[in-house]
Each structure stands twice: as C-alpha cells, then as structure tokens.
Amino acid sequence: MDLPFDVGDLNRIENFLGQGDVEASLPALLELRDAVEEYVETEFATTDEVQYFCFSDAFERLAYRRVEGDPRTLVQVGAPFDRLYADLAFAYIQSQEHALARDALMQAVRWNPMHCAYRLDLAEVFHILGDRREWASLLFSVLERAADAAHVGRAYAGLGEFFLDEDEASAAAGCARRAARFAPEDMVTRRLITHLMEVASDAAELGEDEATAALAAQGIPTEPNAEIAICLIMCATDASRAGDRNEAARLTLRARDLVGENVVKALIQLVHESDAELAAERGENSEEDRDANA
C-alpha cells in the first residue's frame, strides 16, 4: 500500500499556512490527517515488539535508544507524519482551538519523541489550557532530550515561570541563570528575567551555588543530559569517517553548545578509545576463529 502523501503534498500546504491562510490550509491538512490515520491503522500497528517513528536523522534514533531504553524494533516510516500533525496544531492555534492543537501536538510527539520543539509547543498549549502539571512535566522532559542549546534555554525559562508561580523564587533564579546561558536572546528568557526582577529581586541576586542548590532541591537537572552529547559525538564520528565533514562539524558544535568545549574534547577522546578497543576485540576474535579453523 502506497504512503498516503509525500513531502511535496505537505510543502504545498505549508506554503499556504506560512502566508497565514488557515482557511485554505486547515481543510487540506485534515484531509491528509484522515488519510494518515486510516493508513496507520492498517499498516503501522504498534505491538510489544515493533514501533514506528518519523525520526529526522540517525542521531535522533540513537538518542531515543539511549534516553528511552525502548527495546522494541524501531521502524522508520517514509513520510513526515510528525510534521503533518505539527502543521495541523499550528493551524488550530491560529484558530484559537487550543484543545485540538494539544491533541495534534501529542501526535507529533508520538511520531518523533526526540523533536523537542514539539514538546515545547505542547507545553505552552497545556499552559494556556491551565494544566500546570503537564506544562511543567513536558518542560522537564525537554531537559532530558534536548540536543539544541536554544531548546534547553526555553525549557529552563518555562520552568522558571512555573517556579515563580509556585513562590519558589530561588529555583526560578536557578532556571533564569541557565536560560540566559543557553538562550540569552529568546523572548521567554527575557520575560522570565524581567518577571524575576519585578517580583523577587533578592532571589535574582543569589550566588551560583545557592541557585544551583535550589534547582537540585526541586529535582531539576542543573546541566543538559550528557547522554545526548555523547550521541551527538558518536554520530559526528560516524559522519567524519563517511567523509561528511560538514555534518560532523554541525553535530560537534551542537554538542559543544550543550556541554562546553572541554567536555566535548573529553567525549571525543572517549569515543575514539572505545572504538579502538572494540576494533581490537574484533581483531582478536577473528584471530581466534582462524586458529580454531586451522
């Protein structure tokens, strides 16, 4: 059975959506969604052994494996179902249909659980709908999965607003410091810093150790997930070996922006040493096999 649409179909609809023409794009998106859901029901049924995803690249697939620990066989589908649902959510948001936008974004996350922009948008929709628990939970989930510094910054900024609302000004200050570090120009970061200065100026002057301790006391990671940086370096190493220097550089820079240059250098050395050990083990095993067959 052929896939229900290709990227060209979605690109054409996104052109209308980008021009603000929701009336033209929404019916077309709904038509594609209905076709996708019918197709998924018959062709992509989830089981205890198999799950289907729309990962953007090999990095997202590897990161999902390491972060989620999902033991099932992961099958990549041939069409961007996640983009379809994200576009649909955008159209609903433009129409002030936030509950429908929530449902669409949940599907976008389902198809690509490592795409943190979807999680951040979904968190904001839950915030608008008044579900503070899901708002905070999704922001926390971004800190576990984010591979881009801007996403880390936005998640900390959102959590800072959450903590201000909870009268946890010290934790909010810790979030503000990290938001300013990872996404200093982001509107959400600037809004948090302004709000913090207005309602808790004393907390804004806390030292780094105190702010970090306040975050840790709330169970909030004080740094991005090192597992994500490791995945970025592993994929950068693979890209370099394949001769794709641009991709290797892009992935390495993303890792550097997450964990810093010194940590990245250490991770690169660790990956190289691990690969060398694995190659040596394979060589020894090959020699043993040859000796056994002699």
Side-chain angles (χ1 to χ4, degrees):
M1 183 176 180
D2 293 334
L3 287 167
F5 72 92
D6 61 27
V7 176
D9 297 326
L10 200 54
N11 287 340
R12 286 187 288 273
I13 298 171
E14 286 175 344
N15 285 335
F16 289 110
L17 198 58
Q19 296 167 14
D21 192 348
V22 175
E23 289 187 4
S25 56
L26 183 55
L29 288 169
L30 289 171
E31 183 177 347
L32 287 187
R33 182 207 61 184
D34 292 344
V36 164
E37 293 185 350
E38 180 180 354
Y39 182 86
V40 168
E41 186 175 350
T42 58
E43 299 294 323
F44 291 153
T46 297
T47 70
D48 292 338
E49 292 78 33
V50 178
Q51 179 61 296
Y52 299 86
F53 290 110
C54 299
F55 295 123
S56 299
D57 51 31
F59 159 72
E60 286 187 345
R61 184 185 182 95
L62 175 62
Y64 176 83
R65 279 289 196 201
R66 291 185 71 109
V67 172
E68 304 288 353
D70 191 339
R72 294 174 295 183
T73 298
L74 309 182
V75 179
Q76 179 76 13
V77 304
F81 295 165
D82 59 325
R83 265 178 61 193
L84 166 63
Y85 283 106
D87 289 341
L88 184 58
F90 180 80
Y92 280 138
I93 289 171
Q94 297 304 304
S95 303
Q96 300 296 305
E97 296 282 359
H98 291 104
L100 293 174
R102 172 201 61 202
D103 296 343
L105 281 168
M106 289 176 71
Q107 285 299 309
V109 172
R110 174 260 173 273
W111 284 107
N112 189 348
M114 301 309 295
H115 196 302
C116 286
Y118 300 155
R119 290 178 180 269
L120 288 164
D121 289 344
L122 182 56
E124 185 58 28
V125 169
F126 271 114
H127 187 198
I128 291 169
L129 291 171
D131 192 329
R132 296 177 51 77
R133 181 174 180 178
E134 285 298 325
W135 173 39
S137 177
L138 279 159
L139 293 170
F140 182 89
S141 78
V142 170
L143 296 181
E144 296 178 307
R145 295 166 177 81
D148 291 294
H151 292 160
V152 174
R154 280 186 60 193
Y156 275 124
L159 285 168
E161 288 287 356
F162 172 82
F163 284 125
L164 275 182
D165 290 349
E166 295 290 308
D167 293 324
E168 297 287 352
S170 296
C175 287
R177 286 173 179 266
R178 281 151 183 81
R181 171 180 155 196
F182 291 106
E185 302 301 322
D186 192 279
M187 179 181 65
V188 183
T189 298
R190 293 179 175 183
R191 185 171 65 219
L192 169 62
I193 293 172
T194 299
H195 192 190
L196 182 66
M197 292 298 296
E198 289 174 349
V199 303
S201 58
D202 290 345
E205 300 300 325
L206 285 178
E208 177 62 26
D209 289 345
E210 292 175 289
T212 299
L215 271 187
Q218 295 291 338
I220 302 299
T222 57
E223 296 291 339
N225 189 349
E227 284 287 334
I228 296 297
I230 291 170
C231 291
L232 285 166
I233 295 302
M234 290 174 69
C235 289
T237 301
D238 290 344
S240 180
R241 287 174 180 159
D244 191 344
R245 293 184 178 180
N246 289 336
E247 179 66 2
R250 186 182 70 85
L251 292 167
T252 302
L253 288 174
R254 288 172 70 187
R256 184 203 64 185
D257 290 345
L258 282 181
V259 297
E261 188 169 354
N262 290 336
V263 174
V264 163
K265 288 180 179 178
L267 290 177
I268 291 172
Q269 182 65 26
L270 181 64
V271 168
H272 287 171
E273 290 174 356
S274 178
D275 287 348
E277 290 175 3
L278 182 59
E281 288 180 7
R282 288 173 176 169
E284 291 173 0
N285 290 338
S286 296
E287 289 180 6
E288 290 175 0
D289 290 341
R290 285 195 296 271
D291 292 342
N293 294 327

